[in-house]
Amino acid sequence: QSVLTQPRSVSGSPGQSVTISCTGTSSDVGGYNHVSWYQQHPGTAPKLIIYDVSRRPSGVPDRFSGSKSGNAASLTISGLRAEDEADYYCCSQADRSLVFGGGTKLTVL
Amino acid sequence: QVQLQESGPGLVKPSETLSLTCTVSGYSISSGYYWAWIRQPPGKGLEWIGSIHHSGSAYYNPSLRSRLTISVDTSKNQFALKLSSVTAADTAVYYCVRDLGGGNHDYWGQGTLVTVSS
């Protein structure tokens, strides 16, 4: 069982927006401004798409955005595209450790 | 371009020690940052194993700490993972990554599948 809670799946049509939640506690998500998000396509290594709650690495489209409120973080993908279909994982700093969410499968209808 | 490559046996017997090495190219480990191992059991999610600084300072997943050793060899620009007393639950794809801190893993190896089976 993962420490951070994510919905198992979400879906949306091309052009729409979807939001994936990541719920933790005051010991992880709520206690640090170090929440990151990863995108993973089948058979490939995860790719960092958001770090430090809302920052985007170079090359990541601004359709991807992150936020946090209390013990919950969110990833929003706007203007959905077929290539966004993938698994998404949140990750948070905790006390001298890191914890991941269980992952969310995004289906683009 | 920073590249990481995992190497090691793909099959380990139960109760034995899993050993993997990560070779880094395009960046000197001695220049900074942490270097981490993350694993993913088949069909499941990601699990952080542990991270090490080039100075040797390391921090480990509490659930694995008693079986885990992560080390760094700056002369070879490599870092390594040893996980003892393995069981089938340790079967996973193991990734080595560059850890910028705070869960920011910007470069990943391609991953290597390690199966624990007799």
Side-chain angles (χ1 to χ4, degrees), chain A residues 48-95:
Chain A
L48 179 68
I49 56 172
I50 294 288
Y51 68 98
D52 291 350
V53 176
S54 60
R55 295 177 179 268
R56 279 187 311 275
S58 174
V60 174
D62 60 7
R63 302 186 297 105
F64 294 88
S65 62
S67 63
K68 191 187 86 164
S69 178
N71 296 336
S74 296
L75 171 71
T76 297
I77 308 171
S78 59
L80 268 180
R81 305 176 68 161
E83 58 262 38
D84 298 333
E85 184 162 296
D87 293 325
Y88 292 83
Y89 294 91
C90 62
C91 176
S92 174
Q93 179 79 54
D95 182 23

Short mmCIF file of all heavy atoms in Angstrom, two decimals, chain A residues 48-95:
data_model
loop_
_atom_site.label_atom_id
_atom_site.label_comp_id
_atom_site.label_asym_id
_atom_site.label_seq_id
_atom_site.Cartn_x
_atom_site.Cartn_y
_atom_site.Cartn_z
N LEU A 48 10.27 13.20 -15.19
CA LEU A 48 9.90 14.28 -14.28
C LEU A 48 9.15 15.36 -15.05
O LEU A 48 9.67 15.89 -16.04
CB LEU A 48 11.16 14.86 -13.63
CG LEU A 48 10.99 16.02 -12.67
CD1 LEU A 48 10.27 15.58 -11.40
CD2 LEU A 48 12.35 16.64 -12.34
N ILE A 49 7.94 15.71 -14.60
CA ILE A 49 7.18 16.75 -15.27
C ILE A 49 6.86 17.95 -14.37
O ILE A 49 6.60 19.04 -14.87
CB ILE A 49 5.87 16.20 -15.90
CG1 ILE A 49 5.01 15.50 -14.85
CG2 ILE A 49 6.18 15.29 -17.07
CD1 ILE A 49 3.63 15.10 -15.38
N ILE A 50 6.88 17.74 -13.08
CA ILE A 50 6.66 18.82 -12.12
C ILE A 50 7.56 18.55 -10.91
O ILE A 50 7.66 17.41 -10.46
CB ILE A 50 5.20 18.90 -11.63
CG1 ILE A 50 4.25 19.29 -12.76
CG2 ILE A 50 5.06 19.89 -10.45
CD1 ILE A 50 4.35 20.74 -13.23
N TYR A 51 8.21 19.60 -10.39
CA TYR A 51 8.97 19.46 -9.16
C TYR A 51 8.70 20.66 -8.26
O TYR A 51 8.21 21.70 -8.72
CB TYR A 51 10.46 19.28 -9.44
CG TYR A 51 11.16 20.50 -10.02
CD1 TYR A 51 11.87 21.36 -9.20
CD2 TYR A 51 11.12 20.76 -11.39
CE1 TYR A 51 12.52 22.47 -9.72
CE2 TYR A 51 11.77 21.87 -11.91
CZ TYR A 51 12.47 22.71 -11.08
OH TYR A 51 13.12 23.81 -11.61
N ASP A 52 9.01 20.50 -6.99
CA ASP A 52 8.77 21.58 -6.01
C ASP A 52 7.35 22.13 -6.15
O ASP A 52 7.15 23.35 -6.22
CB ASP A 52 9.82 22.68 -6.16
CG ASP A 52 11.20 22.22 -5.72
OD1 ASP A 52 11.31 21.13 -5.13
OD2 ASP A 52 12.18 22.95 -5.96
N VAL A 53 6.40 21.24 -6.19
CA VAL A 53 4.95 21.51 -6.23
C VAL A 53 4.48 22.00 -7.61
O VAL A 53 3.50 21.47 -8.14
CB VAL A 53 4.52 22.52 -5.14
CG1 VAL A 53 3.02 22.84 -5.27
CG2 VAL A 53 4.82 21.98 -3.74
N SER A 54 5.14 23.03 -8.15
CA SER A 54 4.56 23.67 -9.33
C SER A 54 5.57 24.07 -10.40
O SER A 54 5.19 24.73 -11.37
CB SER A 54 3.77 24.91 -8.89
OG SER A 54 4.63 25.83 -8.23
N ARG A 55 6.81 23.70 -10.22
CA ARG A 55 7.83 24.08 -11.21
C ARG A 55 7.93 23.03 -12.32
O ARG A 55 7.84 21.83 -12.06
CB ARG A 55 9.19 24.24 -10.53
CG ARG A 55 9.24 25.38 -9.53
CD ARG A 55 10.60 25.44 -8.85
NE ARG A 55 10.67 26.55 -7.91
CZ ARG A 55 11.11 27.76 -8.22
NH1 ARG A 55 11.52 28.02 -9.45
NH2 ARG A 55 11.15 28.71 -7.30
N ARG A 56 8.14 23.50 -13.52
CA ARG A 56 8.27 22.60 -14.67
C ARG A 56 9.72 22.54 -15.14
O ARG A 56 10.35 23.59 -15.36
CB ARG A 56 7.40 23.08 -15.85
CG ARG A 56 5.96 22.72 -15.79
CD ARG A 56 5.26 23.10 -17.10
NE ARG A 56 5.56 24.47 -17.48
CZ ARG A 56 4.91 25.52 -17.02
NH1 ARG A 56 3.93 25.36 -16.16
NH2 ARG A 56 5.25 26.74 -17.44
N PRO A 57 10.26 21.34 -15.34
CA PRO A 57 11.59 21.24 -15.95
C PRO A 57 11.56 21.79 -17.37
O PRO A 57 10.50 21.85 -18.02
CB PRO A 57 11.87 19.73 -15.95
CG PRO A 57 10.93 19.16 -14.95
CD PRO A 57 9.72 20.03 -14.97
N SER A 58 12.71 22.18 -17.84
CA SER A 58 12.82 22.66 -19.20
C SER A 58 12.30 21.61 -20.18
O SER A 58 12.62 20.43 -20.06
CB SER A 58 14.30 22.97 -19.51
OG SER A 58 14.47 23.31 -20.86
N GLY A 59 11.48 22.06 -21.12
CA GLY A 59 10.98 21.16 -22.15
C GLY A 59 9.61 20.58 -21.85
O GLY A 59 8.99 19.99 -22.74
N VAL A 60 9.12 20.72 -20.63
CA VAL A 60 7.78 20.23 -20.29
C VAL A 60 6.76 21.30 -20.66
O VAL A 60 6.88 22.45 -20.22
CB VAL A 60 7.68 19.87 -18.80
CG1 VAL A 60 6.25 19.49 -18.43
CG2 VAL A 60 8.64 18.72 -18.47
N PRO A 61 5.75 20.96 -21.44
CA PRO A 61 4.77 21.96 -21.87
C PRO A 61 4.03 22.59 -20.70
O PRO A 61 3.81 21.96 -19.66
CB PRO A 61 3.80 21.14 -22.74
CG PRO A 61 4.54 19.90 -23.11
CD PRO A 61 5.48 19.62 -22.00
N ASP A 62 3.63 23.85 -20.89
CA ASP A 62 2.90 24.53 -19.80
C ASP A 62 1.46 24.05 -19.67
O ASP A 62 0.70 24.56 -18.85
CB ASP A 62 2.95 26.05 -20.00
CG ASP A 62 2.34 26.50 -21.31
OD1 ASP A 62 1.75 25.66 -22.02
OD2 ASP A 62 2.44 27.70 -21.62
N ARG A 63 1.10 23.03 -20.45
CA ARG A 63 -0.20 22.37 -20.23
C ARG A 63 -0.20 21.59 -18.92
O ARG A 63 -1.27 21.25 -18.40
CB ARG A 63 -0.49 21.40 -21.38
CG ARG A 63 -0.52 22.02 -22.77
CD ARG A 63 -0.96 21.02 -23.83
NE ARG A 63 -0.05 19.89 -24.00
CZ ARG A 63 -0.31 18.67 -23.55
NH1 ARG A 63 -1.44 18.40 -22.89
NH2 ARG A 63 0.56 17.69 -23.76
N PHE A 64 0.97 21.31 -18.42
CA PHE A 64 1.11 20.59 -17.16
C PHE A 64 1.35 21.60 -16.03
O PHE A 64 2.25 22.43 -16.11
CB PHE A 64 2.28 19.61 -17.21
CG PHE A 64 2.09 18.48 -18.19
CD1 PHE A 64 2.48 18.62 -19.51
CD2 PHE A 64 1.53 17.28 -17.79
CE1 PHE A 64 2.30 17.59 -20.43
CE2 PHE A 64 1.34 16.23 -18.68
CZ PHE A 64 1.73 16.39 -20.01
N SER A 65 0.53 21.51 -14.99
CA SER A 65 0.70 22.41 -13.87
C SER A 65 0.44 21.68 -12.56
O SER A 65 -0.32 20.70 -12.52
CB SER A 65 -0.23 23.63 -13.99
OG SER A 65 -1.58 23.21 -13.97
N GLY A 66 1.08 22.15 -11.51
CA GLY A 66 0.93 21.52 -10.20
C GLY A 66 0.57 22.53 -9.15
O GLY A 66 0.88 23.71 -9.26
N SER A 67 -0.08 22.02 -8.10
CA SER A 67 -0.43 22.88 -6.98
C SER A 67 -0.53 22.04 -5.72
O SER A 67 -0.46 20.81 -5.75
CB SER A 67 -1.76 23.60 -7.24
OG SER A 67 -2.82 22.64 -7.36
N LYS A 68 -0.67 22.74 -4.59
CA LYS A 68 -0.79 22.03 -3.31
C LYS A 68 -1.65 22.85 -2.36
O LYS A 68 -1.57 24.09 -2.35
CB LYS A 68 0.60 21.83 -2.69
CG LYS A 68 0.62 20.89 -1.49
CD LYS A 68 1.99 20.87 -0.83
CE LYS A 68 2.13 21.98 0.19
NZ LYS A 68 3.27 21.77 1.12
N SER A 69 -2.46 22.15 -1.59
CA SER A 69 -3.25 22.80 -0.54
C SER A 69 -3.30 21.85 0.65
O SER A 69 -3.83 20.74 0.55
CB SER A 69 -4.67 23.11 -1.02
OG SER A 69 -5.44 23.69 0.01
N GLY A 70 -2.73 22.29 1.74
CA GLY A 70 -2.71 21.44 2.92
C GLY A 70 -1.94 20.15 2.66
O GLY A 70 -0.80 20.18 2.20
N ASN A 71 -2.58 19.04 2.94
CA ASN A 71 -1.94 17.74 2.77
C ASN A 71 -2.19 17.10 1.41
O ASN A 71 -1.88 15.91 1.21
CB ASN A 71 -2.44 16.77 3.86
CG ASN A 71 -2.05 17.22 5.26
OD1 ASN A 71 -1.09 17.95 5.44
ND2 ASN A 71 -2.82 16.77 6.24
N ALA A 72 -2.72 17.86 0.47
CA ALA A 72 -3.03 17.32 -0.85
C ALA A 72 -2.37 18.14 -1.95
O ALA A 72 -2.36 19.37 -1.90
CB ALA A 72 -4.54 17.28 -1.07
N ALA A 73 -1.86 17.42 -2.93
CA ALA A 73 -1.28 18.06 -4.12
C ALA A 73 -2.09 17.63 -5.33
O ALA A 73 -2.81 16.63 -5.30
CB ALA A 73 0.18 17.63 -4.28
N SER A 74 -1.98 18.42 -6.39
CA SER A 74 -2.72 18.12 -7.61
C SER A 74 -1.88 18.38 -8.84
O SER A 74 -1.06 19.32 -8.85
CB SER A 74 -3.99 18.97 -7.69
OG SER A 74 -4.88 18.68 -6.66
N LEU A 75 -2.11 17.58 -9.85
CA LEU A 75 -1.53 17.77 -11.17
C LEU A 75 -2.68 18.02 -12.13
O LEU A 75 -3.61 17.21 -12.18
CB LEU A 75 -0.74 16.53 -11.61
CG LEU A 75 -0.27 16.51 -13.06
CD1 LEU A 75 0.87 17.52 -13.26
CD2 LEU A 75 0.20 15.11 -13.47
N THR A 76 -2.61 19.10 -12.87
CA THR A 76 -3.63 19.40 -13.86
C THR A 76 -3.00 19.37 -15.24
O THR A 76 -1.93 19.96 -15.46
CB THR A 76 -4.27 20.77 -13.61
OG1 THR A 76 -4.94 20.75 -12.34
CG2 THR A 76 -5.29 21.09 -14.70
N ILE A 77 -3.65 18.68 -16.14
CA ILE A 77 -3.21 18.63 -17.54
C ILE A 77 -4.32 19.26 -18.36
O ILE A 77 -5.46 18.77 -18.37
CB ILE A 77 -2.96 17.19 -18.01
CG1 ILE A 77 -2.02 16.47 -17.04
CG2 ILE A 77 -2.36 17.19 -19.41
CD1 ILE A 77 -1.90 14.98 -17.30
N SER A 78 -4.00 20.36 -19.02
CA SER A 78 -5.00 21.04 -19.83
C SER A 78 -4.74 20.75 -21.31
O SER A 78 -3.63 20.34 -21.69
CB SER A 78 -4.97 22.54 -19.57
OG SER A 78 -3.68 23.06 -19.85
N GLY A 79 -5.76 20.95 -22.13
CA GLY A 79 -5.61 20.69 -23.56
C GLY A 79 -5.11 19.29 -23.83
O GLY A 79 -4.13 19.07 -24.55
N LEU A 80 -5.80 18.30 -23.26
CA LEU A 80 -5.38 16.91 -23.36
C LEU A 80 -5.04 16.50 -24.78
O LEU A 80 -5.76 16.85 -25.73
CB LEU A 80 -6.47 15.98 -22.83
CG LEU A 80 -6.44 15.56 -21.37
CD1 LEU A 80 -7.62 14.65 -21.08
CD2 LEU A 80 -5.13 14.91 -21.01
N ARG A 81 -3.96 15.75 -24.89
CA ARG A 81 -3.53 15.20 -26.17
C ARG A 81 -3.38 13.70 -26.04
O ARG A 81 -3.19 13.17 -24.93
CB ARG A 81 -2.22 15.84 -26.60
CG ARG A 81 -2.29 17.35 -26.66
CD ARG A 81 -0.98 17.97 -26.98
NE ARG A 81 -0.52 17.70 -28.34
CZ ARG A 81 0.39 18.40 -28.98
NH1 ARG A 81 0.95 19.42 -28.39
NH2 ARG A 81 0.75 18.08 -30.20
N ALA A 82 -3.46 13.01 -27.15
CA ALA A 82 -3.37 11.54 -27.13
C ALA A 82 -2.10 11.06 -26.45
O ALA A 82 -2.12 10.06 -25.72
CB ALA A 82 -3.45 11.00 -28.56
N GLU A 83 -1.01 11.79 -26.64
CA GLU A 83 0.27 11.35 -26.08
C GLU A 83 0.36 11.54 -24.56
O GLU A 83 1.31 11.09 -23.93
CB GLU A 83 1.44 12.07 -26.74
CG GLU A 83 1.40 13.58 -26.64
CD GLU A 83 0.85 14.22 -27.91
OE1 GLU A 83 -0.10 13.65 -28.50
OE2 GLU A 83 1.36 15.30 -28.27
N ASP A 84 -0.65 12.18 -23.98
CA ASP A 84 -0.66 12.33 -22.52
C ASP A 84 -1.13 11.05 -21.84
O ASP A 84 -1.01 10.92 -20.61
CB ASP A 84 -1.58 13.47 -22.10
CG ASP A 84 -1.13 14.82 -22.63
OD1 ASP A 84 0.10 14.99 -22.88
OD2 ASP A 84 -1.98 15.70 -22.83
N GLU A 85 -1.67 10.12 -22.62
CA GLU A 85 -2.12 8.85 -22.03
C GLU A 85 -0.92 8.12 -21.46
O GLU A 85 0.01 7.75 -22.18
CB GLU A 85 -2.85 8.00 -23.07
CG GLU A 85 -3.42 6.71 -22.50
CD GLU A 85 -4.49 6.09 -23.38
OE1 GLU A 85 -5.54 6.73 -23.57
OE2 GLU A 85 -4.25 4.97 -23.89
N ALA A 86 -0.94 7.91 -20.14
CA ALA A 86 0.22 7.36 -19.44
C ALA A 86 -0.16 7.15 -17.97
O ALA A 86 -1.28 7.47 -17.56
CB ALA A 86 1.41 8.32 -19.53
N ASP A 87 0.78 6.62 -17.22
CA ASP A 87 0.63 6.54 -15.76
C ASP A 87 1.33 7.76 -15.15
O ASP A 87 2.39 8.18 -15.61
CB ASP A 87 1.27 5.27 -15.22
CG ASP A 87 0.53 4.02 -15.67
OD1 ASP A 87 -0.70 4.06 -15.80
OD2 ASP A 87 1.20 2.98 -15.89
N TYR A 88 0.72 8.30 -14.09
CA TYR A 88 1.27 9.47 -13.41
C TYR A 88 1.46 9.16 -11.93
O TYR A 88 0.56 8.60 -11.28
CB TYR A 88 0.35 10.68 -13.59
CG TYR A 88 0.32 11.16 -15.03
CD1 TYR A 88 -0.51 10.56 -15.96
CD2 TYR A 88 1.16 12.19 -15.45
CE1 TYR A 88 -0.52 10.98 -17.29
CE2 TYR A 88 1.16 12.62 -16.76
CZ TYR A 88 0.32 12.00 -17.68
OH TYR A 88 0.33 12.42 -18.99
N TYR A 89 2.62 9.53 -11.41
CA TYR A 89 2.95 9.28 -10.02
C TYR A 89 3.33 10.57 -9.31
O TYR A 89 4.10 11.37 -9.86
CB TYR A 89 4.14 8.32 -9.91
CG TYR A 89 3.87 6.92 -10.42
CD1 TYR A 89 4.12 6.59 -11.74
CD2 TYR A 89 3.36 5.95 -9.57
CE1 TYR A 89 3.87 5.31 -12.22
CE2 TYR A 89 3.11 4.66 -10.03
CZ TYR A 89 3.36 4.36 -11.36
OH TYR A 89 3.12 3.09 -11.83
N CYS A 90 2.82 10.75 -8.11
CA CYS A 90 3.29 11.85 -7.28
C CYS A 90 4.35 11.33 -6.32
O CYS A 90 4.41 10.13 -6.02
CB CYS A 90 2.16 12.52 -6.51
SG CYS A 90 1.28 11.46 -5.35
N CYS A 91 5.17 12.24 -5.85
CA CYS A 91 6.26 11.90 -4.95
C CYS A 91 6.44 13.06 -3.98
O CYS A 91 6.36 14.23 -4.39
CB CYS A 91 7.54 11.67 -5.73
SG CYS A 91 9.01 11.35 -4.73
N SER A 92 6.66 12.77 -2.72
CA SER A 92 6.83 13.84 -1.74
C SER A 92 8.01 13.56 -0.83
O SER A 92 8.30 12.42 -0.47
CB SER A 92 5.58 14.00 -0.89
OG SER A 92 5.78 14.93 0.17
N GLN A 93 8.66 14.64 -0.45
CA GLN A 93 9.65 14.56 0.61
C GLN A 93 8.94 14.19 1.90
O GLN A 93 7.81 14.61 2.14
CB GLN A 93 10.31 15.94 0.77
CG GLN A 93 11.35 16.00 1.87
CD GLN A 93 12.68 15.41 1.44
OE1 GLN A 93 13.22 15.81 0.41
NE2 GLN A 93 13.19 14.47 2.20
N ALA A 94 9.60 13.36 2.72
CA ALA A 94 9.13 13.06 4.06
C ALA A 94 10.35 13.19 4.98
O ALA A 94 11.38 13.70 4.55
CB ALA A 94 8.49 11.69 4.12
N ASP A 95 10.26 12.75 6.19
CA ASP A 95 11.37 12.89 7.12
C ASP A 95 12.53 11.99 6.72
O ASP A 95 12.51 10.78 6.94
CB ASP A 95 10.91 12.54 8.53
CG ASP A 95 12.04 12.72 9.55
OD1 ASP A 95 12.98 13.49 9.26
OD2 ASP A 95 11.98 12.08 10.61
#
